[in-house]
Amino acid sequence: MLENIRIILVNTSHTGNIGSTARAMKTMGLSSLYLVNPVNEPDGQASALAAGAGDVLANAKIVDTLEEAVKDCGLVVGTSARSRTHSWPMLGPRDCGEKLVQEVEKYPVALVFGRENSGLTNEELQQCHFHMCIPANPEYSSLNLAAAVQTLCYEIRMAYLNREIYPSVEEEYPLNEDLERFYTHLETTLESTSFIRRSHPGVVMTKLRRLFNRARPESQELNILRGILASIDKSVKSTGPSQSDGVDAPMNEDALKESQE
C-alpha cells in the first residue's frame, strides 16, 4: 500500500537533500521516490546522507517533467509555503496524510516538493488537486527540504497505522493524464467558440483549472464533460467558420474583460 505513495522532488539543487529524503522516507515505510529534472543526479554525498536507505535512492526514478511523474496518479498534492494569486484547495499536514492513505488503494498518489529556493511554479502547482502548507513558526518558517519531507512522511505513516478509522473512498476519480487531456480539450473548444483567444488566453484557463480541481469531478462526471465538449465541437464544425472573419464573437462583458487580463 505504501509503495504506491510517491514522494516527488522537483529540480532539486543539492544531492544531499535527495539522500536525506530517501532516509526520511524509509524510516516511515515509504519507498517510491521520483526525481524531476534534478540539477545533479544522486552521487556520493546523496548516498552518504541516505545512511541505510540506499535501496530507496538506487530505485529512484528520474524523469524530465512533473507531468510525466504524475500522469498515472489519481491524487496529487503539491507543497507550497507561499500565498498565490489564485487560491487552490488546501490541506493541512494531517489531512494530507489521511487523504493520501484513503485513496492509495485505488491508484498511485503523489506528494510533490519543489525547489529548495523557490518551491513549485504556478504551472506545476496547477497539476495538483490540492496544495499543502506546513503551519511552521511564522517568524521563522524556513524548513529544510528533507525536514519537510520527514514531517509529511510521518503524517502519512500515522494515517496508515490508523487507516481503519477512515472510511474508504468509493468514488472513482480520473488519473492526472485524463484530467490534462480534458483541460487541453476544454481550451481547444473555448478557442473554437472565440470565448478565449489563442494568442491571449489571459487567466481564464487558470481559473477553470482551479474550478475543476476544487470540484474534483469523478471519472464518470469527467466523461460527461468530455461529451459536452465533443457536442460543442461538432456543432461549431457543422456551422462552419465564424462570420466574424477572425474577430472574436461577442460575449458577456465581464467574461471578455477577464479573458483579456
Side-chain angles (χ1 to χ4, degrees):
M1 185 174 175
L2 293 179
E3 292 175 356
N4 278 330
I5 298 180
R6 295 178 188 173
I7 300 299
I8 301 176
L9 306 184
V10 176
N11 201 209
T12 310
S13 299
H14 305 293
T15 57
N17 282 331
I18 298 175
S20 296
T21 290
R23 181 177 183 177
M25 290 171 60
K26 188 165 184 178
T27 60
M28 296 298 145
L30 303 178
S31 59
S32 182
L33 175 61
Y34 278 65
L35 307 176
V36 177
N37 188 29
V39 174
N40 295 295
E41 295 189 7
D43 56 12
Q45 185 180 19
S47 297
L49 290 176
D55 54 337
V56 176
L57 190 62
N59 292 320
K61 294 180 175 61
I62 300 177
V63 297
D64 293 328
T65 64
L66 178 58
E67 182 178 1
E68 185 179 352
V70 302
K71 64 181 181 180
D72 60 338
C73 292
L75 173 65
V76 182
V77 180
T79 58
S80 178
R82 296 185 288 121
S83 60
R84 305 285 170 163
T85 302
H86 303 295
S87 60
W88 219 257
M90 292 291 299
L91 294 173
R94 191 142 302 167
D95 294 332
C96 176
E98 292 171 3
K99 184 166 281 293
L100 290 168
V101 169
Q102 276 182 316
E103 299 194 24
V104 71
E105 292 183 358
K106 294 183 175 292
Y107 33 61
V109 298
L111 182 58
V112 186
F113 295 84
R115 300 155 188 81
E116 291 96 333
N117 59 348
S118 59
L120 296 168
T121 65
N122 288 333
E123 290 74 17
E124 289 162 347
L125 283 167
Q126 286 175 22
Q127 297 183 53
C128 304
H129 300 99
F130 296 91
H131 294 172
M132 198 288 311
C133 181
I134 298 174
N137 176 7
E139 296 179 4
Y140 187 71
S141 59
S142 178
L143 271 173
N144 172 268
L145 174 59
V149 172
Q150 185 73 80
T151 300
L152 271 298
C153 286
Y154 170 80
E155 293 295 350
I156 290 171
R157 183 157 189 83
M158 291 301 98
Y160 172 72
L161 294 176
N162 294 299
R163 60 191 180 280
E164 67 276 2
I165 298 174
Y166 313 119
S168 59
V169 176
E170 297 182 0
E171 297 85 355
E172 182 178 346
Y173 292 108
L175 301 181
N176 241 50
E177 59 183 339
D178 297 321
L179 276 174
E180 288 303 318
R181 280 194 287 266
F182 165 70
Y183 291 132
T184 299
H185 190 176
L186 177 61
E187 184 170 5
T188 301
T189 299
L190 294 181
E191 288 172 353
S192 71
T193 61
S194 297
F195 186 82
I196 61 175
R197 301 172 181 173
R198 181 184 297 273
S199 60
H200 194 74
V203 298
V204 173
M205 283 306 303
T206 296
K207 291 190 173 182
L208 287 174
R209 275 179 173 265
R210 181 178 62 171
L211 167 65
F212 286 111
N213 271 279
R214 185 169 62 242
R216 205 174 176 207
E218 299 167 14
S219 295
Q220 190 174 27
E221 293 169 336
L222 192 69
N223 289 337
I224 293 172
L225 291 171
R226 290 295 299 271
I228 292 171
L229 293 178
S231 178
I232 294 172
D233 294 341
K234 183 178 179 180
S235 178
V236 170
K237 186 176 181 180
S238 66
T239 57
S242 171
Q243 295 179 357
S244 60
D245 237 355
V247 179
D248 286 344
M251 64 172 73
N252 176 278
E253 183 177 350
D254 293 336
L256 176 60
K257 180 180 178 182
E258 185 172 349
S259 70
Q260 294 175 335
E261 290 179 353

